[in-house]
Amino acid sequence: MVTAQHRKIDYKRELETASKGMIMIHDPKLLIKLIVRMIVSKVMIKHAGMILYEPDKDAYILSISRGETGFKVPAGFARFSKNHSIIKLFTEKEYRALTINKNAILVQDLNRLIWQESVLNNKNGNQQLLHDVGEQMQMFNAVAGVPAYYQDKLLAVLLLGEKHDGFGFDQQELDFFAALASDVAMAIRNAQLFMDLKKEADKNHDLFIRTMVVLSQAIEVKDKYTHGHTKRVTDIAVLVARQMALNESADFEEEFYENLYIASMLHDIGKIGVPEEVLNKNGTLTKEEYQIVQLHPRHGVEILSPLSELKESLDGVKYHHERYDGKGYPEGLSGEGIPIIAAIISVADAFDAMITDRSYRPGMTKAQAVEEVKRNAGTQFHPVPVKALVELYEKGRL
Amino acid sequence: MVTAQHRKIDYKRELETASKGMIMIHDPKLLIKLIVRMIVSKVMIKHAGMILYEPDKDAYILSISRGETGFKVPAGFARFSKNHSIIKLFTEKEYRALTINKNAILVQDLNRLIWQESVLNNKNGNQQLLHDVGEQMQMFNAVAGVPAYYQDKLLAVLLLGEKHDGFGFDQQELDFFAALASDVAMAIRNAQLFMDLKKEADKNHDLFIRTMVVLSQAIEVKDKYTHGHTKRVTDIAVLVARQMALNESADFEEEFYENLYIASMLHDIGKIGVPEEVLNKNGTLTKEEYQIVQLHPRHGVEILSPLSELKESLDGVKYHHERYDGKGYPEGLSGEGIPIIAAIISVADAFDAMITDRSYRPGMTKAQAVEEVKRNAGTQFHPVPVKALVELYEKGRL
């Protein structure tokens, strides 16, 4: 008996310690898996499972069952409505009285309880419910069900299979499992809430990015020549940046790629302010018309000013027509004074323009365009993104 | 002594129970406040505080101090670097050995420890550190510091003031506080992570909405007549919807207002596909030109198709030129067949167009416009939003 007692204390301490770290695990499925596995191995029972309340579904879900044999869960039986006999047993006042002494329901007690209800209390409803619970427990191969409450609300029911040694659960153990089940249920709710919030953050981020895409395509509606240009420039720019990291000429944070993506998508947004007759003109622009076109980077930044915290992206929009030799616009920045995000877009933008057919000239081949970009490295273009572009072309990735 | 023992068990049980619910509280400040308040009142100590690790700052922050007298925290002393003496005492192997027996550091032990280090171990560094710790503890008016670890990382230090009864803390109490501090620290980390995630979700949502604003303003760059129109229509539409809820002719979920906001901001986005010469024409449009203009709701929905999950908002964009009598476009829907979101925008859009000056006609007064809208209720407009608009005008809120 001393050994058994010792083992009991051991597993309690281990489970208690383990349950402490639970709230740091934010994947509900992983969490349930770990906990059930731990109970099965430490307590030496054949299997265990947990029925957990899920508020979005307003129902209880048998989250996992695991062990030597596993519960037999017929399809469609993993979801428990509030009217399910096991749930009612632990939620409705009238029935809770039947379980409250032990902090649990034991299959071995069911017949005695049914007898009590019929002989002492003469309650048919209670007998029926207890009978149903018995059938359910048998179906799940469980010998005990331990409820977990938080603020008097049933959060979960821990289902325990038989012990390997064949002994039943004593009251001390049941009390311990009641406390454990409550910790576990809260940790799982916590993880579920985390996942919900994470999903919401991701969803909002995704909406933001897709709104950016819509915004970027709004310009293409107006500018006949740029059809698909924005998307291609974006793809090329991101490829070039990744290649720069790969050949170790740059070391970008992951955030940089998103900023570059946004900047590339929006680099020509300012063209929305250029009159259609200028934008779609067949032939050379007059000096005045060219001056109007040159306003588009500044104009883009103005349009995007409500998003001023996207500073790096706005730099990309503003400076994508600067030249390495300082002869670009709008500010005549040069060399390393040009933000690298803009230098990358500049190369991608020019490359795509070269290979695209225009009404007044056919597009170059990619080979020709790569040569042309190379020829202008150090004058028009920053040499580092040019090097990456050339490498990409040589690897057949353009 | 029996009484004292009893009280000890009492507060332990109470604190343990209370600490269970902690992970359901996701406001870190509230959480720390509750916990420190609870410790102070249950344990009968004069004050308590907690130094908590904050990963974003890579520093330890004295999160709160509370009680009868409070700790005296000079400005700038609420932040502890990793080199702070108290932090070092609990993190660096060499010093941890000094505290590991007791699971805590007690001010009353410091002199003995300093003496040990000088006489037995002859370690000047350790003496200096212990001396510093002593000064710090005195400054914070604390008699004990209890560390909380998670996966061998120092998460927090619980600072305890003197007990009211003047007795010191015994080892059993210190062990209990160590366990409690660790629970508390994890709950606080959990809450912090929740707040971070919540902030991220909110930030992303905010970015999404502001990108919508940018998108809506992109159309105004092209359309000279609509300057400020979009914003005004949006304000009026939301006012009208709120008034409909107020006069109980509608019962909207909170989400509806956001969808209406988005739809109103974007209702004319499809005009980006209408040639400038038509959009900005001085005088009456030809039949063909009018047909082109009439395409803008459909065009808007096409442009916004990457955001198809914003279904209700897209309905607002698509159907804001339908008429209650079925004579509108693009589909000739009528009566209740027109989504209410579109019916509201339709009224707001028309009202704002009426009161705005055009190059070929001056704007009406608000009184005239309200009369005109009223006259067309049941033919052009849905009567319910018209009623709300009239009420808003009468209350002077338009």
Side-chain angles (χ1 to χ4, degrees):
Chain A
M1 279 312 281
V2 173
T3 332
Q5 191 61 28
H6 250 288
R7 216 187 52 219
K8 209 175 283 176
I9 288 166
D10 268 9
Y11 81 67
K12 280 187 192 176
R13 224 172 256 164
E14 278 184 74
L15 284 179
E16 248 165 17
T17 310
S19 76
K20 297 237 179 224
M22 289 190 308
I23 60 166
M24 290 314 203
I25 298 171
H26 291 146
D27 174 348
K29 281 186 188 155
L30 174 65
L31 186 56
I32 299 179
K33 209 180 269 185
L34 289 175
I35 289 160
V36 174
R37 187 179 296 167
M38 211 158 48
I39 293 175
V40 167
S41 73
K42 301 287 180 211
V43 188
M44 309 289 274
I45 58 177
K46 292 186 179 167
H47 41 246
M50 190 162 233
I51 302 169
L52 187 76
Y53 180 63
E54 291 192 7
D56 352 334
K57 294 177 182 145
D58 195 25
Y60 291 81
I61 310 292
L62 180 62
S63 293
I64 207 173
S65 63
R66 210 199 129 82
E68 196 180 74
T69 54
F71 294 114
K72 297 160 203 147
V73 185
F77 274 78
R79 187 182 182 128
F80 299 64
S81 82
K82 289 181 165 176
N83 290 321
H84 189 282
S85 55
I86 294 183
I87 305 304
K88 268 173 118 172
L89 182 69
F90 291 119
T91 49
E92 294 192 9
K93 237 186 194 162
E94 183 185 353
Y95 305 119
R96 273 183 76 172
L98 301 172
T99 64
I100 214 144
N101 291 337
K102 289 211 167 175
N103 250 339
I105 189 82
L106 295 180
V107 168
Q108 66 188 40
D109 292 343
L110 280 171
N111 281 332
R112 187 179 44 75
L113 284 170
I114 291 170
W115 179 83
Q116 257 178 26
E117 290 303 292
S118 82
V119 176
L120 302 181
N121 304 327
N122 197 20
K123 291 203 174 168
N124 284 322
N126 292 4
Q127 287 173 57
Q128 187 54 48
L129 183 105
L130 290 166
H131 189 78
D132 291 350
V133 168
E135 277 190 348
Q136 293 286 329
M137 298 284 278
Q138 203 165 14
M139 190 172 77
F140 295 134
N141 229 338
V143 300
V146 185
Y149 298 96
Y150 174 65
Q151 294 181 338
D152 216 37
K153 209 173 150 15
L154 183 71
L155 273 191
V157 180
L158 179 63
L159 296 176
L160 299 170
E162 267 190 339
K163 282 187 185 176
H164 283 288
D165 60 14
F167 283 105
F169 294 102
D170 64 27
Q171 190 55 48
Q172 221 196 341
E173 281 177 313
L174 293 176
D175 293 345
F176 170 76
F177 281 118
L180 184 72
S182 144
D183 283 1
V184 166
M186 270 194 281
I188 292 172
R189 272 307 299 148
N190 183 59
Q192 285 172 341
L193 291 172
F194 245 95
M195 290 293 273
D196 289 350
L197 206 51
K198 184 84 186 68
K199 267 186 214 155
E200 197 195 321
D202 289 348
K203 193 198 78 187
N204 291 343
H205 183 256
D206 184 52
L207 263 174
F208 157 61
I209 293 294
R210 281 184 293 130
T211 310
M212 284 285 173
V213 172
V214 168
L215 184 57
S216 77
Q217 277 160 4
I219 170 65
E220 300 220 343
V221 174
K222 298 262 81 169
D223 187 348
K224 289 174 190 162
Y225 292 136
T226 59
H227 191 69
H229 171 69
T230 307
K231 170 121 187 28
R232 291 193 306 270
V233 170
T234 305
D235 291 346
I236 297 168
V238 173
L239 273 175
V240 165
R242 296 248 175 236
Q243 183 61 24
M244 286 165 70
L246 218 64
N247 72 22
E248 293 180 353
S249 51
D251 183 18
F252 300 126
E253 309 261 322
E254 201 46 40
E255 217 186 328
F256 177 82
Y257 298 102
E258 180 164 307
N259 292 344
L260 176 62
Y261 176 86
I262 292 170
S264 310
M265 289 300 281
L266 301 179
H267 75 282
D268 272 347
I269 192 72
K271 284 197 178 166
I272 220 161
V274 178
E276 282 163 30
E277 71 233 40
V278 177
L279 213 54
N280 295 326
K281 188 176 176 184
N282 261 327
T284 336
L285 299 178
T286 66
K287 201 184 158 196
E288 288 71 30
E289 287 169 340
Y290 192 55
Q291 279 171 344
I292 292 174
V293 170
Q294 287 193 336
L295 290 175
H296 84 272
R298 279 191 200 277
H299 211 105
V301 173
E302 270 166 44
I303 290 173
L304 297 171
S305 61
L307 301 168
S308 56
E309 77 262 51
L310 306 178
K311 199 193 161 308
E312 189 165 38
S313 298
L314 296 198
D315 279 353
V317 173
K318 187 165 181 184
Y319 300 118
H320 76 279
H321 278 290
E322 299 289 357
R323 290 171 54 108
Y324 200 70
D325 59 13
K327 294 180 184 165
Y329 61 87
E331 292 189 2
L333 301 183
S334 68
E336 303 304 318
I338 304 168
I340 191 70
I341 191 167
I344 294 171
I345 295 171
S346 168
V347 171
D349 189 23
F351 177 77
D352 186 69
M354 288 174 194
I355 61 172
T356 305
D357 293 329
R358 295 283 159 104
S359 61
Y360 52 89
R361 61 143 177 83
M364 295 180 188
T365 65
K366 282 181 187 173
Q368 289 170 325
V370 168
E371 275 316 305
E372 182 65 14
V373 169
K374 243 161 99 175
R375 214 171 51 77
N376 290 291
T379 52
Q380 185 175 354
F381 303 119
H382 194 300
V384 172
V386 170
K387 179 165 175 276
L389 185 90
V390 173
E391 288 168 0
L392 286 167
Y393 174 71
E394 284 166 356
K395 290 202 273 179
R397 297 199 51 211
L398 275 189
Chain B
M1 282 313 280
V2 173
T3 333
Q5 191 60 30
H6 249 288
R7 216 187 52 217
K8 210 176 281 174
I9 289 168
D10 268 9
Y11 82 65
K12 279 188 192 175
R13 223 172 256 163
E14 278 184 72
L15 283 180
E16 249 165 17
T17 310
S19 77
K20 296 238 177 221
M22 289 191 307
I23 60 165
M24 292 311 203
I25 298 171
H26 292 146
D27 174 348
K29 282 186 187 155
L30 174 65
L31 188 57
I32 300 179
K33 208 180 269 183
L34 288 175
I35 289 160
V36 174
R37 187 178 296 168
M38 211 158 47
I39 293 175
V40 167
S41 73
K42 302 287 179 208
V43 189
M44 309 290 275
I45 58 177
K46 290 185 182 168
H47 41 247
M50 189 162 235
I51 301 169
L52 187 76
Y53 180 64
E54 292 193 6
D56 352 331
K57 293 177 184 147
D58 196 25
Y60 292 80
I61 309 293
L62 180 61
S63 293
I64 207 172
S65 62
R66 213 199 128 82
E68 198 180 72
T69 54
F71 294 114
K72 296 161 204 147
V73 185
F77 274 78
R79 187 181 182 129
F80 299 65
S81 83
K82 288 180 166 178
N83 290 320
H84 188 281
S85 55
I86 294 184
I87 305 303
K88 268 172 117 172
L89 181 69
F90 291 119
T91 48
E92 292 191 12
K93 238 187 194 160
E94 182 185 354
Y95 304 120
R96 270 184 78 172
L98 301 171
T99 64
I100 213 145
N101 289 339
K102 289 215 167 174
N103 250 338
I105 187 83
L106 295 180
V107 169
Q108 65 187 41
D109 292 343
L110 281 170
N111 281 333
R112 187 181 41 78
L113 285 170
I114 291 170
W115 178 83
Q116 258 177 25
E117 290 305 292
S118 82
V119 176
L120 303 180
N121 304 327
N122 197 20
K123 292 203 175 168
N124 284 323
N126 292 3
Q127 287 173 57
Q128 186 55 47
L129 183 103
L130 289 166
H131 190 77
D132 291 350
V133 168
E135 275 190 352
Q136 293 286 329
M137 299 282 279
Q138 201 164 18
M139 190 171 76
F140 296 134
N141 227 339
V143 300
V146 185
Y149 298 96
Y150 174 66
Q151 293 181 340
D152 217 39
K153 207 171 154 14
L154 183 71
L155 274 190
V157 180
L158 179 64
L159 297 176
L160 299 169
E162 268 190 339
K163 281 188 186 177
H164 282 287
D165 62 12
F167 283 105
F169 293 101
D170 64 28
Q171 190 54 48
Q172 220 195 342
E173 280 178 315
L174 292 176
D175 292 346
F176 169 77
F177 281 117
L180 183 73
S182 144
D183 283 0
V184 166
M186 270 194 279
I188 292 172
R189 270 309 298 146
N190 184 59
Q192 284 172 342
L193 290 173
F194 250 95
M195 290 293 273
D196 289 352
L197 208 49
K198 183 85 186 69
K199 265 187 216 156
E200 198 195 321
D202 289 348
K203 192 198 81 189
N204 290 344
H205 183 256
D206 185 51
L207 263 174
F208 157 60
I209 293 293
R210 280 182 295 132
T211 310
M212 283 286 173
V213 172
V214 168
L215 184 56
S216 78
Q217 277 160 4
I219 170 63
E220 301 219 342
V221 174
K222 297 261 82 170
D223 187 347
K224 289 174 189 161
Y225 293 136
T226 60
H227 191 68
H229 171 68
T230 307
K231 170 121 187 31
R232 290 193 306 269
V233 170
T234 304
D235 290 346
I236 297 168
V238 173
L239 273 175
V240 165
R242 296 249 176 234
Q243 182 62 23
M244 286 165 70
L246 217 65
N247 70 25
E248 294 182 351
S249 52
D251 184 17
F252 301 126
E253 309 261 322
E254 201 48 40
E255 218 186 327
F256 177 82
Y257 299 102
E258 180 163 307
N259 293 344
L260 175 62
Y261 177 87
I262 292 170
S264 309
M265 290 301 281
L266 301 179
H267 75 281
D268 272 346
I269 191 74
K271 283 196 178 167
I272 219 161
V274 178
E276 282 164 27
E277 72 233 40
V278 177
L279 213 54
N280 295 326
K281 188 175 175 183
N282 261 327
T284 336
L285 299 178
T286 66
K287 201 183 156 196
E288 288 71 30
E289 287 169 339
Y290 192 56
Q291 279 171 345
I292 292 174
V293 170
Q294 287 193 336
L295 289 176
H296 84 271
R298 279 191 199 279
H299 211 103
V301 173
E302 268 166 46
I303 291 173
L304 298 171
S305 61
L307 302 168
S308 58
E309 77 262 50
L310 306 178
K311 200 195 159 305
E312 188 165 38
S313 298
L314 295 199
D315 278 354
V317 173
K318 188 166 182 185
Y319 299 119
H320 75 280
H321 278 292
E322 298 290 358
R323 290 170 54 109
Y324 199 71
D325 59 14
K327 294 178 182 165
Y329 60 89
E331 291 188 2
L333 301 183
S334 67
E336 303 305 317
I338 304 166
I340 192 70
I341 192 168
I344 294 170
I345 295 171
S346 167
V347 170
D349 190 22
F351 177 77
D352 186 68
M354 288 174 196
I355 61 173
T356 306
D357 292 329
R358 294 285 157 102
S359 61
Y360 52 90
R361 60 144 178 84
M364 296 180 189
T365 64
K366 282 181 186 171
Q368 288 170 326
V370 167
E371 275 314 304
E372 182 65 13
V373 169
K374 241 161 102 175
R375 213 171 50 77
N376 290 290
T379 52
Q380 184 175 355
F381 304 118
H382 194 300
V384 171
V386 170
K387 181 166 174 274
L389 184 90
V390 173
E391 287 167 1
L392 286 167
Y393 174 71
E394 284 165 356
K395 290 203 273 181
R397 297 199 50 210
L398 275 190

